[in-house]
Amino acid sequence: MTDHHPERRDADGLRAFEKHCDRRNGTARLIDARMPELARCLTLFQYVQAVTGGPVARIEQTGGYALPSLRGEAFAVQPGSIALRVDGGAVASAVVVRDEGGIGTVALRLLDADGRTMHQGRLLSDGDRLLVGLARTADAGTLVDTGTPAAGASPVPEVPAWESGDQLAQLDAILVDGGIARRGEFNRYRGEHRAIDVTVVPEVLDHVCSTGLPIGVAVFAPAAMQACGGRLHVTDRTVGGQVFAAMADSSFQLDLPGVRACHLVRSLAAHGPTSAIELDDEDGRCVAVITQFGIVGEPVHTAWEHLAASLPDA
């Protein structure tokens, strides 16, 4: 969904994008991309196909949004809800794209300053398509100034340093730049970490699927993270290296040949030190994390840690 080498776009580019949609018998409209206005807008929708990711990793989930969170805020993955976390200052615009031809699809896309898609939510119900018409609009000729909080917004919370931070601090560091700066100075990390063999990832997914061990998966796009959790009910892989896993109303797709590095990182979480499998692309960006989120119960946490400890070094 995300092009990691896009042509840079500014406000003129967004206007050109709107004209392009008009030529295709469709419309595009900018809405207020500031928090908390944007968060309130997303939680109005009841039935959405939410997609985050890029060429290497992708997550897709249907349902309604939980309240999206910003870096530094609390974060939870709840069954049946779409968990989205963003770097609020990087959301340059929010665009509602309506295709009046064909089946009349409507999608809301969050874009960064370079025009890259951070996240897309395709509205699947007629009610949601009507609700999006009530969303607060922005001036179509300018990018939203995300540095100015919307009325009633709380101050941006301080983000803990990843070098000595917990699991959430590690995820937030990845949100900034894909974790490139963090990975480049990972010798400063005070927790346990080691490079592991990336080829074992399909076996890990197969194992947790067959044993019923629930896991959490987070996928990253520029300045956005979407996460889900639960038991896998099916896994698959193709000859070309595409890996698929499905849990409840979510699906996870991984292009294994596109993963150039894999690290096992332990950081403090709800049950104590918790391992996470971090998958990096060829540019050194972390594209996905497989771990345990929140309170999962001590037996689940112990089983996951035993599995993580058995993974071979790179």
Side-chain angles (χ1 to χ4, degrees):
M1 182 185 74
T2 302
D3 182 359
H4 288 288
H5 302 284
E7 180 182 357
R8 295 180 63 86
R9 302 187 187 122
D10 55 12
D12 290 337
L14 283 172
R15 288 195 294 271
F17 173 68
E18 290 182 284
K19 292 178 182 178
H20 175 71
C21 288
D22 289 336
R23 287 196 301 269
R24 295 184 61 192
N25 196 28
T27 59
R29 181 168 63 96
L30 288 174
I31 66 173
D32 196 336
R34 295 172 297 177
M35 293 293 189
E37 188 67 31
L38 178 61
R40 286 196 292 263
C41 175
L42 291 176
T43 56
L44 289 175
F45 307 134
Q46 299 300 306
Y47 193 43
V48 181
Q49 181 185 46
V51 182
T52 301
V56 180
R58 172 187 174 102
I59 189 172
E60 184 173 317
Q61 184 176 4
T62 55
Y65 286 98
L67 187 67
S69 62
L70 296 171
R71 289 197 316 123
E73 295 180 343
F75 179 70
V77 177
Q78 302 292 344
S81 296
I82 299 164
L84 184 65
R85 191 172 183 84
V86 298
D87 183 354
V91 184
S93 57
V95 185
V96 175
V97 182
R98 184 185 299 269
D99 181 7
E100 303 297 350
I103 59 175
T105 58
V106 178
L108 190 151
R109 297 174 186 163
L110 307 185
L111 308 177
D112 70 3
D114 292 331
R116 298 178 297 182
T117 299
M118 301 167 55
H119 174 77
Q120 174 175 287
R122 182 182 174 192
L123 309 184
L124 301 178
S125 73
D126 291 337
D128 288 341
R129 295 184 190 114
L130 291 173
L131 281 173
V132 77
L134 304 177
R136 180 177 173 182
T137 60
D139 182 354
T142 59
L143 295 176
V144 174
D145 179 9
T146 54
T148 304
S154 303
V156 177
E158 182 178 352
V159 180
W162 61 265
E163 294 93 330
S164 56
D166 60 8
Q167 182 188 67
L168 200 49
Q170 310 309 312
L171 298 175
D172 280 348
I174 297 170
L175 268 180
V176 177
D177 61 351
I180 292 178
R182 168 177 172 263
R183 191 71 77 208
E185 299 183 354
F186 214 51
N187 59 314
R188 292 165 43 192
Y189 181 55
R190 299 179 186 177
E192 299 176 47
H193 60 96
R194 61 187 175 95
I196 61 173
D197 185 356
V198 66
T199 63
V200 304
V201 173
E203 282 74 17
V204 169
L205 296 176
D206 288 345
H207 175 77
V208 299
C209 180
S210 63
T211 61
L213 180 66
I215 59 169
V217 176
V219 171
F220 294 84
M225 178 189 83
Q226 184 178 332
C228 64
R231 289 179 171 84
L232 300 186
H233 55 77
V234 65
T235 60
D236 195 12
R237 62 184 115 169
T238 68
V239 175
Q242 295 290 321
V243 178
F244 302 89
M247 62 178 78
D249 50 10
S250 307
S251 63
F252 170 57
Q253 180 178 339
L254 181 69
D255 177 34
L256 200 62
V259 178
R260 299 303 172 87
C262 187
H263 296 81
L264 190 71
V265 181
R266 298 191 84 209
S267 54
L268 190 63
H271 293 279
T274 301
S275 297
I277 300 172
E278 298 184 357
L279 307 170
D280 296 351
D281 67 11
E282 62 180 0
D283 296 322
R285 292 182 174 86
C286 181
V287 295
V289 171
I290 303 171
T291 186
Q292 297 289 341
F293 294 120
I295 300 175
V296 296
E298 195 56 40
V300 170
H301 179 262
T302 299
W304 172 251
E305 289 306 306
H306 284 165
L307 173 61
S310 70
L311 300 180
D313 291 337

